[in-house]
Amino acid sequence: MISSQSLLIVGSLAFDSLEMPYGTFEYVVGGSTSFASIAGSLLTRGVRIVGVVGEDFPEDYLASLRGRSIDTVGVERVPGKSFFWRGRYSADLNTRETLDTQLNVFANFQPKIPASHRATPYLLLGNIHPQLQIDVLDQMEKPEFIAVDTMNYWISSEPETLAKLLKRTDLLIINDEEARQLSGIQNISRAAQDIRKRGPSHLIIKRGEFGALLFDDAGTFFCPGFPLEEVRDPTGAGDTFAGGLLGYVARHADTSPLTLRRAMFFGSALASFCVEGVGTTRIGEVTRAELDARIQSFVRLVDYGANLTLPVEEESR
Amino acid sequence: MISSQSLLIVGSLAFDSLEMPYGTFEYVVGGSTSFASIAGSLLTRGVRIVGVVGEDFPEDYLASLRGRSIDTVGVERVPGKSFFWRGRYSADLNTRETLDTQLNVFANFQPKIPASHRATPYLLLGNIHPQLQIDVLDQMEKPEFIAVDTMNYWISSEPETLAKLLKRTDLLIINDEEARQLSGIQNISRAAQDIRKRGPSHLIIKRGEFGALLFDDAGTFFCPGFPLEEVRDPTGAGDTFAGGLLGYVARHADTSPLTLRRAMFFGSALASFCVEGVGTTRIGEVTRAELDARIQSFVRLVDYGANLTLPVEEESR
């Protein structure tokens, strides 16, 4: 892969046990890096991942990632068990409760960026401790565009470290509750203004099934969620969105406003596949033809003929 | 006004007492017809309203509607008090609680459509008893397009009457909870399919600040809500949306898929003004220049350059 189109993703490789209203799925392979890298690989062959797994993580799964041209040289395998999360979803799948989190090998994770990856231009830092995200940045050679995910836990427990990270962030990707928590402002538009002043020139606020808002110097942009007839498992949808978005950016080697807006459609389309299956099963089998078809459905979903002028009104008579 | 561009709105003219987190506003003029007719009047001079008010309803308010070329010949004034609603909004304004409802003169309301209005081609039936909505239809001469609003109360208490009405409805406008209740289906896309089989060829499902979905024979269309920096009072936003939508349709004398999609932007833009002030104060002062500017902001909000093709990927090397 030519390096100008490459994307480095750092985050978790994990097992998830999912208690869904229709059944329980034990030890499903997940983690932000699994979802994001598969999504990215559907748009660019330049995806590289860095992470840590334990002895229990299936080598076949890593091989399947390599089969989609994802570079796994940066994945360390160390003694012990892989990161594990157990959660229970509500009947409508809109909320979930964490039942168990075992950091395992992730507890001592120190991301080491292989020399071959340090000049990667596009970077997606999944939701891990903000100090580890900074440690990754310190190993990179002038990345062109740094996208960062985080969560409520780090916003409340590591505000100072997160503040340092935000000063080096080009694009922060969080959900609406996290935006409210980070800014202390209830209104989303004003929260976005506040957060952008803290460093990120670009901010995406995800709103679940409803879509996502992008705030940048070009203004505010909205990309809807794709209305699905069946949702099986929302786990990883946000990571899939981010991976697809950055994959599109890397494919174009461009972060102009128009490219980022288009990238949101690809991220949202891929996220809509993700939630159709448990874990990475559905996103892992998406074909290029399926993606093209969903993008076309998306185009129709927002097509108003690009003309909102009012005609001259006929005179009263 | 030439009749081919006219719009008849039937619904409530009322007083609302609004307990907002920042203060209480007593006896604010409201009701679905107030909001919808003002919104419609910003897009077409052909708005006609039918409703009932008591002796306490300000004549000045009706005069102000006439001042915007709204025909109020169909408004009856009868002995007694006007319809009254008192509600309390939550701190984030996202939910509200009804504290008092007094039907007053509305209890015996029998809509009488003046002879001059019976050939109106576009019809918006606000949220009133479905039997009254049917009574209006029975007085009309072949309207071209019948839009209907309803609510959870009628869905549960008058299912049979509502079913009859739906068979005569071209466009049903409800929110997502009402769509779930009416269909008994949690998933919005499948709920929409079910509801369209009951009669309405067009269905709009409103999702509050997030926007609205249109389902018709041309497919599914999504129009976002406009991200506002300050919301003062959500009361009447749905009625404003519907009035703006139908006003745009009447202005164009057209219900083609593209016109309806564009109409949603105008409805959504007008609703975004509505919530900026208490009652009809803000929507009542919107100028054409303000509307044009907000429509342009809306265009930017959804502008991705209308091109979502993926470029050919450069070869690996």
Side-chain angles (χ1 to χ4, degrees), chain B residues 79-100:
Chain B
K81 286 184 176 180
S82 301
F83 182 78
F84 173 80
W85 177 81
R86 174 181 287 272
R88 183 185 294 144
Y89 279 87
S90 62
D92 64 5
L93 301 179
N94 282 333
T95 55
R96 68 183 182 195
E97 172 189 6
T98 291
L99 300 176
D100 191 12

Side-chain angles (χ1 to χ4, degrees), chain A residues 9-70:
Chain A
I9 299 172
V10 185
S12 59
L13 292 156
F15 289 116
D16 295 330
S17 281
L18 305 165
E19 301 191 6
M20 313 305 291
Y22 52 86
T24 294
F25 300 81
E26 299 287 358
Y27 286 85
V28 177
V29 175
S32 61
T33 300
S34 303
F35 290 101
S37 67
I38 292 172
S41 75
L42 285 159
L43 298 173
T44 176
R45 276 174 291 173
V47 177
R48 299 142 174 198
I49 63 176
V50 164
V52 63
V53 297
E55 294 153 325
D56 53 357
F57 198 83
E59 183 57 31
D60 280 1
Y61 194 87
L62 294 176
S64 76
L65 297 183
R66 286 190 290 273
R68 11 177 104 249
S69 83
I70 297 168

